[in-house]
Amino acid sequence: MDETTKSAAPSTVLAAGALLVGAAPAAWWAARTSPDDIPDADHAIAAPALPDGAAAAIGIAGAVLAAAGLVLLIRLAVTGRIGALHLVTALLLAPIPAMAGVWWAIATAPVIGANIGFGLATVVFPPAAAVCLAAALTTGLLARRKRGGSRSGTVRAGD
């Protein structure tokens, strides 16, 4: 393993982690409907009591965290500390927590009658997440193979 890979690994994991952790609350907040919007509504899942200000703070914090992670990943890719396939791998994983956040927003949304969106999201999101996960796994393995095949493992001058 060369010096570039060793030094980039912790920052890559932190940046990707920030993107993934921030994506769920940001997506939840973006898709959220306040329970107070429809007074006599039903809920597929009862939403916990949460003031609108707290919901906004959680969503904005998630969006800032996700954006910071994305910016750091792009910076790592542009400076050559990670390969483009590593960036693509992280980007393919990002929709999974975002779908979880949207699913929770749909599940706790106030509705009158049946929550058809909840059923649709429950049916569509798991296969979509599986496709994203399989694509990320494939690109991650390709990135690892490409990195391992192009480097001998020895540190050369200029690396």
Side-chain angles (χ1 to χ4, degrees), residues 139-158:
T139 58
L141 291 173
L142 287 173
R144 185 176 176 100
R145 174 178 281 180
K146 183 177 178 184
R147 186 79 170 179
S150 66
R151 301 273 187 186
S152 63
T154 59
V155 179
R156 292 177 280 177

Side-chain angles (χ1 to χ4, degrees), residues 108-131:
T108 59
V111 295
I112 296 177
N115 192 343
I116 296 170
F118 174 65
L120 181 63
T122 302
V123 169
V124 171
F125 286 177
V131 168

Side-chain angles (χ1 to χ4, degrees), residues 69-87:
L70 180 61
V71 167
L72 289 173
L73 282 170
I74 291 171
R75 182 171 172 242
L76 289 169
V78 167
T79 60
R81 293 187 65 196
I82 63 171
L85 286 175
H86 290 98
L87 176 62

Side-chain angles (χ1 to χ4, degrees), residues 9-44:
S11 57
T12 304
V13 171
L14 288 174
L19 173 63
L20 298 179
V21 168
W28 164 77
W29 178 59
R32 179 178 183 268
T33 303
S34 176
D36 300 331
D37 288 349
I38 302 174
D40 295 327
D42 296 326
H43 301 277

